[in-house]
Amino acid sequence: SIPEWDFKTELPRRRRMEDGDYSKVITCMKSWLKKAQGHVDTYNRHLLQHIFLLISATGMRTGEVFGLKNKDIQTISSDKLEAVIRIRAETTKVRKERRITVNPSFGGRKKDATPINYLIRWLDQYQIHKEPEDFVFSLHTKGGMNATYPFYRSYTSLREELKEVGMEWWDAYHNRHYFITQAIRAGHPLSMIAVSCSNSIQVIERTYSHLFSEQVTRELGKIRVVRSNDGGHEVITN
C-alpha cells in the first residue's frame, strides 16, 4: 500500500574550483574589507577573512574552526611564526582529536616577501577576548560564544561582492579543498594529507582523482623512452 513516485533525488555537488579561483576570492575580499562600517562590522569582516585564510592554510573544517578555543593554542613560536593547535574530538566530524601546525604563508606573493602566520596575526591584532575558555573566533561582545552567526551574515555580504567576479558559488569549504589540492600538487604523501585533514585516503583518492591523472600525465611528459639499436630502451628525462 506504500505509494511509489517516479523521481530521483541527488545530493547537491560543490562546483569544482579551477586555477586562479582562490586568488579571485582573496582579491575580492580585500576590497570588501575596506567597505566595513563601524568597529563591529570591521571586526566581523576581519574575522571572516582570517577564518578563510586559516582553513586554506590547514585544511580544517568550519566546525573545527568555530570550536577552537584559546586553550587549544598549544605552542606559538614567534621566531618561526608557527602555531600548534589541538583540535578537540568533540568539535570534529569524526570525533577524533588531532594536533596540527599552522605555518606562515607568503599569500601568493614573491618568495622574498615577508611571511605571515594568519592565526598569529588574528590573535595579535584583531582578537578581543583572550581568556583560555574564550573562543578564538568569538562574538565581538562575548568571548564565550563562537562567531558562527556573524560569520555567515558577513559571508552574505561578501557573496554580493563575489557575484561581480563570478565567484558567488565559493564557500568556506572550498578553502579546505584548496589546501588539499595544493598539498597533492606539492607531492605530499596521501597518508600525511589524510591525517592532517582528518579524512581517509580513499575519500581523497576518489574526490581528487582528476589531480592524480593530471600529475601522472605531467610527469610522463617529462620522460621519453628511446629505443636503442640493440633492441633495448633508454629513458631520457626532458
Side-chain angles (χ1 to χ4, degrees):
S1 62
I2 299 177
E4 296 182 2
W5 291 278
D6 185 20
F7 69 90
K8 296 181 180 180
T9 60
E10 293 185 2
L11 294 175
R13 299 185 64 182
R14 285 185 174 89
R15 180 170 168 176
R16 179 178 293 175
M17 62 184 183
E18 299 178 358
D19 291 341
D21 285 346
Y22 180 74
S23 296
K24 291 179 183 178
V25 172
I26 297 303
T27 300
C28 184
M29 184 181 295
K30 289 179 180 178
S31 63
W32 171 77
L33 284 168
K34 298 177 182 178
K35 300 177 182 179
Q37 299 180 357
H39 60 280
V40 176
D41 189 29
T42 298
Y43 171 86
N44 289 335
R45 293 193 183 209
H46 280 292
L47 179 142
L48 182 147
Q49 177 199 30
H50 283 80
I51 288 177
F52 265 49
L53 294 172
L54 180 59
I55 295 175
S56 301
T58 63
M60 294 174 67
R61 298 180 176 90
T62 51
E64 295 169 347
V65 174
F66 290 134
L68 195 62
K69 293 187 176 182
N70 290 327
K71 66 180 182 181
D72 300 321
I73 311 297
Q74 299 293 303
T75 305
I76 293 182
S77 172
S78 300
D79 296 335
K80 296 181 179 180
L81 285 177
E82 290 181 351
V84 178
I85 62 177
R86 174 174 66 106
I87 301 175
R88 288 171 284 113
E90 61 267 26
T91 68
T92 70
K93 182 179 179 181
V94 296
R95 294 296 183 262
K96 184 177 180 181
E97 182 177 307
R98 73 185 189 278
R99 283 172 169 77
I100 61 174
T101 302
V102 185
N103 296 304
S105 169
F106 291 92
R109 302 182 303 278
K110 296 180 179 180
K111 292 182 179 180
D112 57 351
T114 302
I116 301 172
N117 185 304
Y118 297 115
L119 176 60
I120 294 177
R121 186 175 73 176
W122 168 258
L123 297 174
D124 289 346
Q125 298 184 23
Y126 300 104
Q127 190 190 47
I128 297 174
H129 306 285
K130 299 181 180 294
E131 293 298 321
E133 288 293 333
D134 289 337
F135 287 96
V136 172
F137 298 100
S138 66
L139 296 182
H140 183 270
T141 54
K142 295 181 180 179
M145 295 184 66
N146 71 48
T148 304
Y149 175 70
F151 171 85
Y152 285 107
R153 185 176 58 185
S154 296
Y155 177 67
T156 300
S157 171
L158 174 61
R159 176 170 280 174
E160 292 301 315
E161 299 282 328
L162 291 175
K163 283 182 180 179
E164 298 182 7
V165 293
M167 296 300 298
E168 68 277 7
W169 51 270
W170 188 280
D171 58 29
Y173 204 84
H174 279 99
N175 297 296
R176 176 175 162 88
H177 284 311
Y178 174 79
F179 171 83
I180 297 175
T181 297
Q182 296 301 102
I184 292 173
R185 286 179 170 172
H188 296 301
L190 293 188
S191 57
M192 291 179 60
I193 299 173
V195 170
S196 66
C197 295
S198 187
N199 218 334
S200 69
I201 295 177
Q202 292 77 14
V203 169
I204 292 177
E205 287 178 332
R206 183 171 63 250
T207 306
Y208 301 92
S209 60
H210 61 288
L211 291 178
F212 300 123
S213 60
E214 175 186 308
Q215 273 191 317
V216 169
T217 52
R218 180 180 293 113
E219 292 302 318
L220 288 176
K222 299 177 182 178
I223 298 173
R224 286 186 296 145
V225 178
V226 180
R227 182 178 297 170
S228 59
N229 294 330
D230 59 3
H233 296 82
E234 181 182 359
V235 177
I236 299 176
T237 303
N238 294 329

